[in-house]
Amino acid sequence: MPNPLTRDPKLEALREQGTHNPRPEDVKDPLFQENEFFDQRDLVQVKYEMLRRHLVEGTEITTVANVFGFSRVAFYQILKRFQEDGVVGLLPKLRGPKGAHKLSEKLMAFVETSLTENPALRSRDLAQLVRSSYDISVHPRSIERALIRHQKKRRK
């Protein structure tokens, strides 16, 4: 059993990069059990080897998915991303919202116009204006962050 006080730099790096396999114990492929080059904790390596095993060696999809700890559906999703994006497609995608979904361009134009007309408005006032004009509840801090993003876009 590994010593919990011992640092594992590779494991730390995998976690930091978001490429740590959350279920390394599900990888039952002999190469990952017998050869230290193959690391079942490295999600990108596991996905790549799974695809290679099917595409190059011809192992059945159901078998290869099971041996590498994935479902058949997950295998097809991984294959599709690999075919579209190459090895980069094996990297996990960021979860969650990709941007401010309430603060559309139209809403931000309204906020900026309101600020131009009355520079003394605070984010709390702007949130109330958005609520009364568009019936959309937006947190004042979200407005502040969106204004900062818009200012950065203009500088580019």
Side-chain angles (χ1 to χ4, degrees), residues 29-88:
D29 183 73
L31 277 178
F32 284 84
Q33 308 302 318
E34 300 162 3
N35 189 323
E36 69 180 49
F37 173 80
F38 296 95
D39 189 349
Q40 66 255 32
R41 302 171 305 169
D42 187 336
L43 189 58
V44 175
Q45 188 179 39
V46 171
K47 288 178 179 180
Y48 184 85
E49 185 58 25
M50 175 180 68
L51 293 177
R52 190 197 67 75
R53 189 68 52 83
H54 170 69
L55 296 171
V56 175
E57 295 181 13
T59 305
E60 250 182 55
I61 291 173
T62 306
T63 303
V64 81
N66 185 41
V67 169
F68 285 90
F70 292 97
S71 67
R72 240 180 14 53
V73 172
F75 173 88
Y76 284 112
Q77 292 169 343
I78 293 164
L79 177 61
K80 181 177 185 234
R81 286 200 53 214
F82 179 72
Q83 289 171 335
E84 291 173 356
D85 303 328
V87 176
V88 174

